Amino acid sequence: MTGEQRLIEALRKAHSVCVLTGAGISIESGVPTFRDPQEGLWAKYDPAKLSTPEAFEDDPALVTRWYDERRLSVLKCQPNPAHIALADLERTVRDRGGSFTLVTQNIDRLHQRAGSSEPIELHGSLHVWKCTSTGRTFLPGPEPFSEYPPRSPSGSLYRPDVVWFGEALPERALERAWRAAQWCEVYMVIGTSSLVYPAAGLTEVACESDGLTAEINLDPTPMSERVDICLRGKASQILPRVVTAVRTP
Ligand code: OAD
């Protein structure tokens, strides 16, 4: 039996599934990964340097413009067959009374637009912005902000509700993700280099637990040797094939 067949068999029976996704699942929707050379204006900036509280402190106009341009460009992208397959799998597992937990490092909300319900967003979302003085969040409309940095009526700065380097991940989100990875019968890690913690730690927890673990990724990662099943290739090709087989009696 191939690794893919083992994964399909396990998913046909599983009553608890946990999935962790990264930028690799959105690349085929046209969303550049974090480490791709940025296009155009941003080619001369290091994204990792723009995604920090210090960068926002130093130049809030530059940072908020960068995030707003990413937000607007992501709005033009569509979920790809990998996002859609995961939403189908979620419905299939839940229809049999099982639990399905989707955890993502992505901030593009393409999972939600594909039909996944309440993914755990470990790194926040481009589409949610918050007031730096009250912490109140809101969803900006589909047009660019009128000024950078955008300000609240009281004059406080708005910032994207994403996790910047050096910032803590949302505690409750992390706990829910940890528990799901620890107790699930099948764990899949898809489209992530598994280099950034604590998110990458989720796969370590799953590998040390009793469930079946599978990686679907274009390139090898530090987790490739640790998971039970390693499927090398594009998520948009592998996932629809796997989910179609799971849903075919
Ligand atoms: P990376 O860009 O580090 O890794 C993307 C992974 O996807 C790579 O391992 C690719 O091999 C794989 N990949 C590319 N195309 C693929 C495809 N079509 N199908 C399947 N896999 C594919 O992105 P992440 O691992 O998500 O954190 O990065 C993790 C975090 O690093 C980000 O969330 C961000 C960044 O620092 C924060 O912003 C806090």
Side-chain angles (χ1 to χ4, degrees), residues 40-117:
L41 173 67
W42 305 111
K44 61 179 189 291
Y45 295 102
D46 171 358
K49 292 223 173 48
L50 286 171
S51 316
T52 64
E54 295 74 19
F56 180 69
E57 193 75 32
D58 289 350
D59 191 343
L62 174 69
V63 171
T64 52
R65 180 190 296 275
W66 184 58
Y67 273 93
D68 201 32
E69 291 203 0
R70 288 176 67 192
R71 173 180 76 90
L72 294 167
S73 68
V74 159
L75 282 177
K76 297 191 193 91
C77 299
Q78 296 304 321
N80 68 59
H83 296 108
I84 293 163
L86 278 185
D88 290 344
L89 182 62
E90 174 179 330
R91 279 187 289 274
T92 302
V93 172
R94 290 193 172 167
D95 286 352
R96 66 169 90 117
S99 74
F100 186 96
T101 306
L102 174 59
V103 186
T104 188
Q105 301 171 88
N106 300 339
I107 58 178
D108 56 36
R109 290 208 159 168
L110 287 175
H111 283 304
Q112 287 91 327
R113 288 173 53 196
S116 293
S117 58

Side-chain angles (χ1 to χ4, degrees), residues 22-24 27-28 33-35 105-106 123 163 165 191-194 196 216-219 221 233-235:
I27 293 178
E28 292 170 84
T33 60
F34 213 84
R35 292 168 180 81
Q105 301 171 88
N106 300 339
H123 294 160
V163 174
F165 288 100
T192 176
S193 57
S194 295
V196 174
I216 298 174
N217 210 64
L218 200 57
D219 302 305
T221 76
K234 290 190 170 187

